[in-house]
Amino acid sequence: MHLYDAFLYRESDYVTPGDANPVVVELAGTMVGLVNCYDLRFPELTRNLIDHGADLLSVSAAWVSGAMKEDHWRTLLRARAIESTAWLVAAGSASPECIGQSMIVDPFGIVRAQLGGETYGLAITTLSQRRTEEVRAVLPVLENRRLNTTIEL
């Protein structure tokens, strides 16, 4: 949805953006909100996915290497999980140009599994709706918010 026109790079020179409709799909009974790469920097998107029923946020990315980029990646992944009080699974492409750093973050922002910059790997943890409910009981940010920024589909 959001094109990577940042850090002296212009993705919009050769890529057409997707439409502005957030995507939530059902996978084995779980509603999954889809986030692609640079979209991670837009918290209103992940909040909107939650508003449209997502129980899990799935991030796919080819996060380009560079100064502060790994720190941004880790911080943004954890922030999106915390502010949405949802599980977040992030698959980061690992290559000479991209950082990798795939991870699974729980609704409280705790990294439950992660990989480094290796080309191939598998991160495994148990995701549970019970954990989501526990976190939302002590951190009811979705109930307490006063602004409604839902994009109507």
Side-chain angles (χ1 to χ4, degrees):
M1 188 180 323
H2 299 94
L3 297 182
Y4 184 63
D5 288 354
F7 292 97
L8 304 175
Y9 191 85
R10 293 210 26 96
E11 189 174 39
S12 63
D13 287 347
Y14 58 93
V15 174
T16 302
D19 63 31
N21 293 321
V23 178
V24 178
V25 297
E26 183 177 349
L27 178 64
T30 299
M31 300 306 288
V32 181
L34 304 181
V35 178
N36 187 49
C37 210
Y38 190 54
D39 290 337
L40 184 61
R41 292 185 180 274
F42 299 87
E44 62 275 16
L45 172 62
T46 51
R47 182 56 62 84
N48 191 269
L49 291 165
I50 297 300
D51 289 345
H52 283 93
D55 300 310
L56 168 72
L57 300 169
S58 173
V59 180
S60 58
W63 203 262
V64 179
S65 302
M68 300 299 298
K69 297 295 290 301
E70 284 188 31
D71 190 50
H72 285 194
W73 171 252
R74 290 186 190 112
T75 301
L76 291 168
L77 290 175
R78 294 184 67 218
R80 298 299 85 90
I82 294 166
E83 68 202 12
S84 299
T85 54
W87 287 90
L88 184 143
V89 176
S93 178
S95 71
E97 298 83 28
C98 299
I99 66 168
Q101 307 298 321
S102 298
M103 70 175 64
I104 302 170
V105 184
D106 86 357
F108 231 177
I110 298 169
V111 176
R112 297 295 182 157
Q114 65 184 343
L115 301 174
E118 58 269 17
T119 305
Y120 299 100
L122 183 63
I124 298 173
T125 194
T126 301
L127 282 62
S128 77
Q129 186 61 32
R130 183 170 160 237
R131 175 65 174 162
T132 302
E133 292 164 4
E134 290 170 356
V135 171
R136 288 182 178 172
V138 298
L139 183 62
V141 294
L142 300 176
E143 291 178 30
N144 292 342
R145 72 183 164 153
R146 297 184 58 178
L147 296 176
N148 183 356
T149 58
T150 303
I151 300 169
E152 294 302 318
L153 299 178

